Amino acid sequence: MTQEIKAISLFSGAGGFDIGSHMANIPVVFSVDIEDDCIETQKLNDIFKDTIKISGDLFQISSDEIKNSLGDNYKGKSILIGGAPCQPFSKNGYWVTHKIRKGIDDPRAQLVNEYLRVLIDIKPDGFVFENVESLLHPTNKVIVDSFLEIAESEGFETNVIRANALDYGVPQKRKRLFIIGTKGTFKTKEPIKTHFPPEIASKENLQPYVNVGEVISEYDTDEYIEKQELTEGGTYHEDLKEVPPGMNYKALTAWAGYPNPKFVADKRFWNFLLKLHPEQPSWTITAQPGPWVGPFHWNSRRLRVPEIAAIQTFPKDYVFYGSRRSIQKQIGNAVPPLMAKEMINFLKESLV
């Protein structure tokens, strides 16, 4: 099996997708992101020491610039990886249905267009595109349909994967959409799952889902204390302490039989005062949580940087650059490396 496949990474962020590519033995030779902090994070980590790292707006970077910067790395087999920032597709919106040959005529799909532009110009042997699962919502689905039409017109066989990070060893419920394309032929229908619900795993001698306590308990010591984690004196601190592990604010409502209810069930966002249970997987780690939005630690505090990084399956020695807010955003926006690895391995099988 040849290992001469290389990856070009767009919207690289803190490098979660890119770490997954390295785990699949496909080194990332070029990465670009518009956030300076993300590129500085990559520079701090040896895994990317041989990667050409560009801080800039993809709109301003021509495909020829990418080709020229690659030099000899442009020879041989390559894949394109990345996920356009997903905020435009996280909520319902009005979509223009007219499609054009080289892109999608929609004001909020411009970054998807940039990915497609590079895909068409660079002509890799395969690609993995990641986004939120709600991109398949009927309101947004024209984006996916147009993406597939364009990729297939460029000679790619495509596969749309609805994936949950839990299935690939990530201790977190995190649903994502992957569009995978190959100039080869897919040998199976979808990536092989590595982890399973406990009831199935125990019966069939398989690996169960990874619980959050397994990966973050070591960080619950004074050595890792952060001033940002404290909730004492805050509006809902006393309420948070009353929420049992694995529950949210609904534990303090009449719905749960709470005496003198403090809240009304289903009147708040579900992750309000949401607390982890050490013997269950985590809920989705977000990029910009509100002050009382979870998941919180079962000890009634906010999660620490090494904890959210571990929940996202970043390597233990991975270093992040920037303010606490910036680092939360970088980690929350990332594709979990273990999840990325399995998606890229699935593509790789079709290329060799």
Side-chain angles (χ1 to χ4, degrees), residues 238-273:
E238 295 301 324
D239 300 322
L240 179 65
K241 289 201 299 184
E242 287 195 66
V243 174
M247 295 287 288
N248 63 1
Y249 79 97
K250 288 177 69 173
L252 310 182
T253 67
W255 170 86
Y258 185 83
N260 300 316
K262 298 185 176 184
F263 304 103
V264 178
D266 301 322
K267 292 292 186 181
R268 298 264 185 168
F269 286 114
W270 70 275
N271 48 8
F272 177 60
L273 304 185

Short mmCIF file of all heavy atoms in Angstrom, two decimals, residues 238-273:
data_model
loop_
_atom_site.label_atom_id
_atom_site.label_comp_id
_atom_site.label_asym_id
_atom_site.label_seq_id
_atom_site.Cartn_x
_atom_site.Cartn_y
_atom_site.Cartn_z
N GLU A 238 -26.01 28.38 42.49
CA GLU A 238 -26.67 27.48 43.44
C GLU A 238 -27.57 26.48 42.71
O GLU A 238 -27.68 25.32 43.12
CB GLU A 238 -27.48 28.29 44.46
CG GLU A 238 -26.62 29.16 45.37
CD GLU A 238 -25.60 28.35 46.17
OE1 GLU A 238 -25.93 27.22 46.58
OE2 GLU A 238 -24.48 28.85 46.37
N ASP A 239 -28.20 26.93 41.63
CA ASP A 239 -29.04 26.03 40.85
C ASP A 239 -28.18 24.95 40.19
O ASP A 239 -28.54 23.76 40.18
CB ASP A 239 -29.80 26.81 39.76
CG ASP A 239 -30.70 27.88 40.36
OD1 ASP A 239 -31.31 27.63 41.41
OD2 ASP A 239 -30.78 28.98 39.76
N LEU A 240 -27.04 25.35 39.64
CA LEU A 240 -26.15 24.40 38.99
C LEU A 240 -25.73 23.30 39.96
O LEU A 240 -25.68 22.12 39.59
CB LEU A 240 -24.92 25.13 38.43
CG LEU A 240 -23.88 24.25 37.72
CD1 LEU A 240 -24.45 23.64 36.46
CD2 LEU A 240 -22.64 25.08 37.38
N LYS A 241 -25.44 23.68 41.19
CA LYS A 241 -25.01 22.69 42.18
C LYS A 241 -26.10 21.65 42.45
O LYS A 241 -25.80 20.52 42.81
CB LYS A 241 -24.63 23.39 43.49
CG LYS A 241 -23.33 24.18 43.41
CD LYS A 241 -22.72 24.42 44.79
CE LYS A 241 -23.65 25.21 45.68
NZ LYS A 241 -23.03 25.52 47.00
N GLU A 242 -27.35 22.04 42.27
CA GLU A 242 -28.46 21.12 42.54
C GLU A 242 -28.75 20.17 41.38
O GLU A 242 -29.45 19.17 41.56
CB GLU A 242 -29.72 21.91 42.88
CG GLU A 242 -29.70 22.56 44.25
CD GLU A 242 -31.09 23.00 44.68
OE1 GLU A 242 -31.96 22.13 44.88
OE2 GLU A 242 -31.32 24.23 44.76
N VAL A 243 -28.26 20.50 40.20
CA VAL A 243 -28.50 19.63 39.03
C VAL A 243 -27.65 18.37 39.16
O VAL A 243 -26.43 18.47 39.31
CB VAL A 243 -28.17 20.37 37.72
CG1 VAL A 243 -28.28 19.42 36.52
CG2 VAL A 243 -29.09 21.58 37.53
N PRO A 244 -28.25 17.19 39.11
CA PRO A 244 -27.48 15.95 39.22
C PRO A 244 -26.62 15.74 37.95
O PRO A 244 -26.96 16.24 36.87
CB PRO A 244 -28.54 14.86 39.32
CG PRO A 244 -29.82 15.56 39.62
CD PRO A 244 -29.70 16.92 39.02
N PRO A 245 -25.51 15.01 38.06
CA PRO A 245 -24.71 14.68 36.88
C PRO A 245 -25.57 14.03 35.79
O PRO A 245 -26.42 13.20 36.09
CB PRO A 245 -23.67 13.70 37.42
CG PRO A 245 -23.51 14.07 38.86
CD PRO A 245 -24.89 14.48 39.30
N GLY A 246 -25.35 14.47 34.56
CA GLY A 246 -26.10 13.91 33.43
C GLY A 246 -27.43 14.57 33.17
O GLY A 246 -28.15 14.18 32.25
N MET A 247 -27.77 15.59 33.95
CA MET A 247 -29.06 16.26 33.80
C MET A 247 -28.85 17.72 33.42
O MET A 247 -27.73 18.23 33.42
CB MET A 247 -29.88 16.17 35.09
CG MET A 247 -30.30 14.76 35.48
SD MET A 247 -31.61 14.11 34.41
CE MET A 247 -33.01 15.10 35.00
N ASN A 248 -29.98 18.43 33.15
CA ASN A 248 -29.94 19.86 32.88
C ASN A 248 -30.94 20.56 33.80
O ASN A 248 -31.41 19.98 34.78
CB ASN A 248 -30.21 20.15 31.39
CG ASN A 248 -31.61 19.70 30.96
OD1 ASN A 248 -32.41 19.20 31.77
ND2 ASN A 248 -31.92 19.88 29.69
N TYR A 249 -31.28 21.79 33.46
CA TYR A 249 -32.17 22.58 34.31
C TYR A 249 -33.51 21.90 34.58
O TYR A 249 -34.18 22.19 35.59
CB TYR A 249 -32.41 23.96 33.67
CG TYR A 249 -33.43 23.92 32.56
CD1 TYR A 249 -34.76 24.26 32.77
CD2 TYR A 249 -33.08 23.51 31.28
CE1 TYR A 249 -35.71 24.20 31.76
CE2 TYR A 249 -34.01 23.45 30.26
CZ TYR A 249 -35.32 23.79 30.49
OH TYR A 249 -36.25 23.71 29.49
N LYS A 250 -33.91 20.97 33.71
CA LYS A 250 -35.22 20.32 33.88
C LYS A 250 -35.29 19.51 35.16
O LYS A 250 -36.38 19.19 35.64
CB LYS A 250 -35.53 19.44 32.67
CG LYS A 250 -35.86 20.24 31.41
CD LYS A 250 -36.09 19.37 30.20
CE LYS A 250 -37.34 18.56 30.28
NZ LYS A 250 -37.63 17.83 29.02
N ALA A 251 -34.13 19.21 35.74
CA ALA A 251 -34.12 18.51 37.03
C ALA A 251 -34.70 19.38 38.14
O ALA A 251 -35.09 18.88 39.19
CB ALA A 251 -32.69 18.10 37.39
N LEU A 252 -34.78 20.69 37.88
CA LEU A 252 -35.28 21.63 38.89
C LEU A 252 -36.67 22.15 38.52
O LEU A 252 -37.05 23.26 38.87
CB LEU A 252 -34.31 22.82 39.02
CG LEU A 252 -32.83 22.45 39.22
CD1 LEU A 252 -32.00 23.72 39.38
CD2 LEU A 252 -32.64 21.53 40.40
N THR A 253 -37.45 21.32 37.81
CA THR A 253 -38.79 21.71 37.37
C THR A 253 -39.84 20.74 37.91
O THR A 253 -39.52 19.65 38.40
CB THR A 253 -38.89 21.73 35.83
OG1 THR A 253 -38.76 20.38 35.34
CG2 THR A 253 -37.80 22.59 35.21
N ALA A 254 -41.09 21.15 37.77
CA ALA A 254 -42.19 20.26 38.17
C ALA A 254 -42.17 18.98 37.34
O ALA A 254 -42.57 17.91 37.83
CB ALA A 254 -43.53 21.00 37.99
N TRP A 255 -41.73 19.06 36.12
CA TRP A 255 -41.62 17.88 35.24
C TRP A 255 -40.82 16.77 35.92
O TRP A 255 -41.13 15.59 35.77
CB TRP A 255 -40.95 18.31 33.93
CG TRP A 255 -40.56 17.20 33.02
CD1 TRP A 255 -41.34 16.58 32.08
CD2 TRP A 255 -39.27 16.57 32.94
NE1 TRP A 255 -40.63 15.60 31.43
CE2 TRP A 255 -39.36 15.57 31.94
CE3 TRP A 255 -38.07 16.74 33.62
CZ2 TRP A 255 -38.27 14.76 31.61
CZ3 TRP A 255 -36.99 15.94 33.30
CH2 TRP A 255 -37.09 14.96 32.31
N ALA A 256 -39.78 17.16 36.67
CA ALA A 256 -38.92 16.18 37.35
C ALA A 256 -39.37 15.94 38.80
O ALA A 256 -38.70 15.22 39.54
CB ALA A 256 -37.47 16.66 37.33
N GLY A 257 -40.49 16.56 39.19
CA GLY A 257 -40.98 16.40 40.56
C GLY A 257 -40.21 17.21 41.58
O GLY A 257 -40.23 16.92 42.78
N TYR A 258 -39.57 18.27 41.13
CA TYR A 258 -38.77 19.10 42.03
C TYR A 258 -39.70 19.97 42.89
O TYR A 258 -40.57 20.66 42.35
CB TYR A 258 -37.82 19.98 41.22
CG TYR A 258 -36.86 20.80 42.04
CD1 TYR A 258 -35.68 20.23 42.50
CD2 TYR A 258 -37.13 22.12 42.36
CE1 TYR A 258 -34.78 20.97 43.27
CE2 TYR A 258 -36.24 22.88 43.12
CZ TYR A 258 -35.06 22.30 43.57
OH TYR A 258 -34.18 23.02 44.32
N PRO A 259 -39.53 19.95 44.20
CA PRO A 259 -40.39 20.79 45.05
C PRO A 259 -40.07 22.27 44.86
O PRO A 259 -38.90 22.63 44.72
CB PRO A 259 -40.02 20.31 46.47
CG PRO A 259 -38.64 19.74 46.34
CD PRO A 259 -38.56 19.15 44.96
N ASN A 260 -41.10 23.08 44.82
CA ASN A 260 -40.93 24.52 44.58
C ASN A 260 -40.07 24.76 43.33
O ASN A 260 -38.95 25.29 43.40
CB ASN A 260 -40.28 25.21 45.79
CG ASN A 260 -41.10 25.05 47.05
OD1 ASN A 260 -42.32 25.22 47.02
ND2 ASN A 260 -40.45 24.70 48.15
N PRO A 261 -40.58 24.35 42.18
CA PRO A 261 -39.79 24.41 40.93
C PRO A 261 -39.21 25.79 40.66
O PRO A 261 -39.87 26.81 40.87
CB PRO A 261 -40.83 24.04 39.87
CG PRO A 261 -41.87 23.26 40.59
CD PRO A 261 -41.94 23.86 41.96
N LYS A 262 -37.96 25.79 40.19
CA LYS A 262 -37.27 27.04 39.88
C LYS A 262 -37.40 27.42 38.41
O LYS A 262 -37.19 28.58 38.05
CB LYS A 262 -35.80 26.91 40.26
CG LYS A 262 -35.58 26.65 41.75
CD LYS A 262 -34.11 26.65 42.12
CE LYS A 262 -33.93 26.50 43.62
NZ LYS A 262 -32.52 26.58 44.03
N PHE A 263 -37.70 26.44 37.57
CA PHE A 263 -37.81 26.68 36.14
C PHE A 263 -39.00 25.91 35.59
O PHE A 263 -39.58 25.06 36.28
CB PHE A 263 -36.53 26.22 35.41
CG PHE A 263 -35.27 26.85 35.94
CD1 PHE A 263 -34.41 26.14 36.77
CD2 PHE A 263 -34.94 28.16 35.61
CE1 PHE A 263 -33.25 26.71 37.26
CE2 PHE A 263 -33.78 28.75 36.09
CZ PHE A 263 -32.93 28.02 36.93
N VAL A 264 -39.37 26.22 34.35
CA VAL A 264 -40.45 25.51 33.66
C VAL A 264 -39.81 24.67 32.55
O VAL A 264 -39.01 25.18 31.75
CB VAL A 264 -41.48 26.50 33.05
CG1 VAL A 264 -42.55 25.74 32.29
CG2 VAL A 264 -42.08 27.36 34.16
N ALA A 265 -40.15 23.40 32.52
CA ALA A 265 -39.56 22.48 31.54
C ALA A 265 -39.83 22.97 30.12
O ALA A 265 -40.91 23.48 29.81
CB ALA A 265 -40.12 21.07 31.73
N ASP A 266 -38.85 22.81 29.28
CA ASP A 266 -38.92 23.14 27.85
C ASP A 266 -39.09 24.63 27.56
O ASP A 266 -39.47 25.01 26.45
CB ASP A 266 -40.05 22.34 27.17
CG ASP A 266 -39.85 20.83 27.31
OD1 ASP A 266 -38.68 20.38 27.22
OD2 ASP A 266 -40.85 20.11 27.50
N LYS A 267 -38.78 25.47 28.54
CA LYS A 267 -38.83 26.92 28.32
C LYS A 267 -37.42 27.50 28.16
O LYS A 267 -37.26 28.71 27.97
CB LYS A 267 -39.54 27.61 29.49
CG LYS A 267 -41.03 27.30 29.59
CD LYS A 267 -41.81 27.89 28.43
CE LYS A 267 -43.30 27.69 28.61
NZ LYS A 267 -44.08 28.25 27.48
N ARG A 268 -36.43 26.65 28.27
CA ARG A 268 -35.03 27.08 28.14
C ARG A 268 -34.36 26.22 27.07
O ARG A 268 -34.84 25.13 26.74
CB ARG A 268 -34.29 26.88 29.47
CG ARG A 268 -34.85 27.72 30.63
CD ARG A 268 -34.08 28.99 30.77
NE ARG A 268 -34.50 29.78 31.94
CZ ARG A 268 -33.83 30.81 32.41
NH1 ARG A 268 -32.69 31.17 31.85
NH2 ARG A 268 -34.27 31.49 33.45
N PHE A 269 -33.19 26.68 26.61
CA PHE A 269 -32.41 25.82 25.73
C PHE A 269 -32.02 24.57 26.50
O PHE A 269 -31.72 24.62 27.70
CB PHE A 269 -31.15 26.55 25.24
CG PHE A 269 -31.43 27.60 24.21
CD1 PHE A 269 -31.20 28.93 24.48
CD2 PHE A 269 -31.92 27.25 22.95
CE1 PHE A 269 -31.45 29.91 23.53
CE2 PHE A 269 -32.17 28.21 22.00
CZ PHE A 269 -31.95 29.55 22.28
N TRP A 270 -32.00 23.43 25.81
CA TRP A 270 -31.78 22.14 26.48
C TRP A 270 -30.43 22.07 27.20
O TRP A 270 -30.26 21.35 28.17
CB TRP A 270 -31.89 20.99 25.48
CG TRP A 270 -30.74 20.94 24.51
CD1 TRP A 270 -30.60 21.63 23.36
CD2 TRP A 270 -29.55 20.16 24.66
NE1 TRP A 270 -29.40 21.34 22.76
CE2 TRP A 270 -28.73 20.43 23.54
CE3 TRP A 270 -29.08 19.26 25.62
CZ2 TRP A 270 -27.48 19.84 23.35
CZ3 TRP A 270 -27.84 18.67 25.44
CH2 TRP A 270 -27.06 18.97 24.31
N ASN A 271 -29.43 22.88 26.72
CA ASN A 271 -28.11 22.80 27.35
C ASN A 271 -27.90 23.83 28.46
O ASN A 271 -26.80 24.02 28.94
CB ASN A 271 -26.99 22.90 26.30
CG ASN A 271 -27.18 24.06 25.34
OD1 ASN A 271 -28.07 24.88 25.51
ND2 ASN A 271 -26.34 24.12 24.32
N PHE A 272 -28.99 24.45 28.89
CA PHE A 272 -28.93 25.37 30.04
C PHE A 272 -28.68 24.54 31.31
O PHE A 272 -29.44 23.61 31.62
CB PHE A 272 -30.24 26.15 30.14
CG PHE A 272 -30.35 27.07 31.33
CD1 PHE A 272 -29.44 28.10 31.52
CD2 PHE A 272 -31.37 26.91 32.26
CE1 PHE A 272 -29.55 28.95 32.62
CE2 PHE A 272 -31.49 27.75 33.35
CZ PHE A 272 -30.57 28.78 33.52
N LEU A 273 -27.61 24.85 32.02
CA LEU A 273 -27.19 24.13 33.23
C LEU A 273 -26.98 22.63 32.97
O LEU A 273 -27.14 21.80 33.87
CB LEU A 273 -28.21 24.32 34.37
CG LEU A 273 -28.51 25.77 34.78
CD1 LEU A 273 -29.44 25.79 35.99
CD2 LEU A 273 -27.22 26.54 35.09
#
